[in-house]
């Protein structure tokens, strides 16, 4: 199976930090990691749930300190993504995970932007940036983060909501989403990964999201599925992530096909590929094999990714023609 042109819509740039780059940046910045070598670090990539992953994900970010670090991180992702068929990427970043360590938000955004600006020519990938708020931090911290990002909003397409879901419902973040919308930004939120269908309802009705990230637990609520189908709200599904974080027991049990059959606008994404065992095409191949998807279903998933993107209509049409020609 050749990689098909795809838009990646659920990708945490911090989740693309491979052990090799983590050690290189640690050395560059004079930071000691609590792992002897890359193999010992990789051996820690065994997760029991979302929180057990987040603990390592935040700890390893200690190596990201300078604009160059963020530029190198994003450039490494883009190079790998292109080999995996990615032609457009809407990339999450977690500013609070860096500002809380004393890294200014401008350092993060300028570093990422440097790599993203070079990406069309260097890697043949167009990009957008999505600024995520940490839902296990306070709503006030989210608002303060948004205000500190105002000088950089021309670089940001959307806001998102991530980190530990259960006990941190979307409705708490109503104010910052209202500010984002007033500023002309699009809105997405993680919901229905570990959290209940009610969190997906809140993301839709309280935050007014344009897309739901994960959303796999929506299937537990028939009225919610009907709503998502009627409004063709995209769901950014991450199959390998779901298995690694034990949202789903086995890939063979993944509800992706059920979701498509229900008429949901589903896309396939890699989430945190350095941690979950694969980038975008790896996810496509894994679900294709596990669920026995046919070629036309893979094309549908690729088409959905561009339809669900924040690209303008002419750009979407151009990418859809590439899929037809594939
Ligand atoms: N869920 C919530 N927060 C995250 C994730 C995820 O899958 N990845 C990085 N932050
Ligand atoms: Zn995610």
């Amino acid at each position: 199976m050749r990689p098909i042109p795809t838009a990646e819509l659920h990708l945490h740039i911090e989740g693309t930090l491979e052990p090799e780059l983590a050690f290189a940046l640690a050395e560059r910045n004079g930071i000691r990691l609590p792992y002897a070598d890359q193999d010992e670090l990789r051996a820690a990539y065994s997760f029991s749930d979302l929180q057990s992953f987040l603990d390592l994900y935040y700890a390893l970010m200690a190596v990201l300190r300078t604009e160059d670090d963020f530029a190198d991180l994003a450039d490494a992702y883009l190079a790998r993504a292109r080999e995996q068929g990615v032609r457009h990427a809407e990339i999450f970043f977690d500013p609070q995970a860096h500002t809380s360590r004393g890294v200014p938000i401008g350092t993060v955004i300028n570093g990422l932007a440097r790599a993203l600006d070079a990406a069309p020519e260097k890697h043949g990938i167009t990009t957008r940036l999505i600024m995520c708020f940490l839902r296990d931090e306070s709503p006030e911290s989210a608002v303060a983060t948004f205000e500190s990002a105002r000088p950089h909003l021309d670089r940001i397409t959307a806001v998102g909501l991530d980190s530990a879901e259960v006990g941190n419902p979307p409705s708490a973040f109503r104010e910052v989403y209202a500010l984002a919308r007033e500023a002309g930004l699009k809105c997405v939120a993680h919901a229905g990964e570990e959290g209940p269908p009610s969190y997906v309802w809140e993301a839709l009705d309280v935050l007014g999201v344009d897309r739901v990230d994960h959303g796999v637990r929506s299937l537990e609520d028939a009225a919610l599925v009907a709503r998502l189908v009627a409004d063709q709200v995209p769901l950014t599904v991450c199959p390998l992530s779901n298995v690694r974080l034990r949202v789903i027991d086995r890939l063979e049990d993944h509800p992706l096909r059920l979701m498509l059959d229900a008429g949901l606008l589903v896309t396939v994404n890699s989430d945190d590929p350095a941690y979950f065992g694969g980038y975008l095409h790896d996810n496509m191949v894994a679900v294709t094999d596990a669920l026995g998807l046919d070629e036309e279903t893979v094309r549908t998933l690729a088409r959905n990714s561009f339809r669900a993107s924040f690209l303008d209509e002419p750009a979407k049409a151009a990418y859809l023609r590439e899929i037809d020609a594939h």
Side-chain angles (χ1 to χ4, degrees):
M1 182 170 155
R2 262 190 316 140
I4 189 165
T6 314
E8 172 131 83
L9 306 179
H10 186 150
L11 182 281
H12 302 263
I13 199 65
E14 297 90 346
T16 70
L17 180 57
E18 292 283 347
E20 187 182 9
L21 183 59
F23 275 93
L25 296 181
E27 180 162 351
R28 184 155 99 187
N29 292 322
I31 293 164
R32 261 190 72 91
L33 287 173
Y35 302 92
D37 54 31
Q38 292 177 41
D39 289 339
E40 199 180 303
L41 174 54
R42 259 189 212 285
Y45 290 8
S46 169
F47 310 116
S48 53
D49 57 10
L50 174 57
Q51 188 62 55
S52 65
F53 154 69
L54 290 171
D55 292 343
L56 182 60
Y57 168 82
Y58 292 124
L60 212 54
M61 284 183 208
V63 303
L64 298 167
R65 302 222 61 97
T66 68
E67 258 188 51
D68 283 352
D69 298 341
F70 287 94
D72 290 350
L73 177 69
D75 189 65
Y77 161 68
L78 291 161
R80 282 174 174 269
R82 177 62 210 223
E83 289 175 6
Q84 299 250 331
V86 175
R87 303 298 321 278
H88 176 72
E90 303 193 345
I91 298 175
F92 297 136
F93 70 108
D94 287 327
Q96 289 155 295
H98 310 301
T99 54
S100 63
R101 302 181 289 111
V103 179
I105 194 165
T107 299
V108 180
I109 295 174
N110 292 335
L112 296 175
R114 196 201 303 161
L116 271 43
D117 287 347
E121 195 156 327
K122 187 169 178 191
H123 301 294
I125 300 183
T126 53
T127 63
R128 298 285 188 274
L129 264 183
I130 302 176
M131 178 169 71
C132 287
F133 305 111
L134 302 183
R135 68 202 310 154
D136 45 0
E137 297 292 330
S138 70
E140 294 75 26
S141 173
V143 170
T145 300
F146 183 78
E147 293 303 336
S148 72
R150 279 207 191 267
H152 308 283
L153 288 189
D154 59 329
R155 310 236 43 142
I156 293 169
T157 296
V159 296
L161 187 66
D162 63 3
S163 203
E165 186 180 5
V166 174
N168 298 304
S171 52
F173 295 87
R174 173 194 318 251
E175 185 183 349
V176 77
Y177 273 72
L179 292 172
R181 208 180 340 276
E182 272 169 40
L185 300 187
K186 301 281 193 187
C187 298
V188 302
H190 284 53
E193 180 185 19
E194 286 189 343
S198 65
Y199 285 18
V200 180
W201 281 112
E202 287 185 18
L204 295 171
D205 291 337
V206 182
L207 303 186
V209 297
D210 300 285
R211 293 198 295 250
V212 172
D213 297 312
H214 292 297
V216 286
R217 287 198 59 196
S218 302
L219 290 174
E220 295 168 26
D221 181 337
L224 176 57
V225 171
R227 164 73 181 280
L228 293 165
V229 170
D231 291 352
Q232 286 293 284
V233 179
L235 303 182
T236 62
V237 172
C238 306
L240 290 176
S241 166
N242 292 157
V243 174
R244 288 298 183 103
L245 300 186
R246 314 230 182 142
V247 169
I248 296 202
D249 286 339
R250 306 178 317 144
L251 208 51
E252 290 74 13
D253 303 327
H254 198 286
L256 180 80
R257 190 200 272 280
L258 292 176
M259 297 171 91
L260 285 166
D261 290 347
L264 292 163
L265 182 54
V266 184
T267 70
V268 167
N269 307 269
S270 69
D271 206 2
D272 301 283
Y275 294 90
F276 299 152
Y279 286 76
L280 194 130
H281 180 64
D282 304 322
N283 273 269
M284 281 286 200
V285 170
V287 283
T288 298
D289 288 350
L291 304 179
L293 304 182
D294 61 17
E295 219 172 275
E296 197 44 41
T297 305
V298 173
R299 272 180 202 279
T300 297
L301 289 165
R303 284 197 194 95
N304 284 356
S305 72
F306 291 106
R307 285 175 59 202
S309 75
F310 295 136
L311 287 164
D312 61 25
E313 292 305 322
K316 285 185 189 181
Y319 281 126
L320 291 173
R321 280 195 298 276
E322 274 190 46
I323 294 173
D324 291 339
H326 178 71

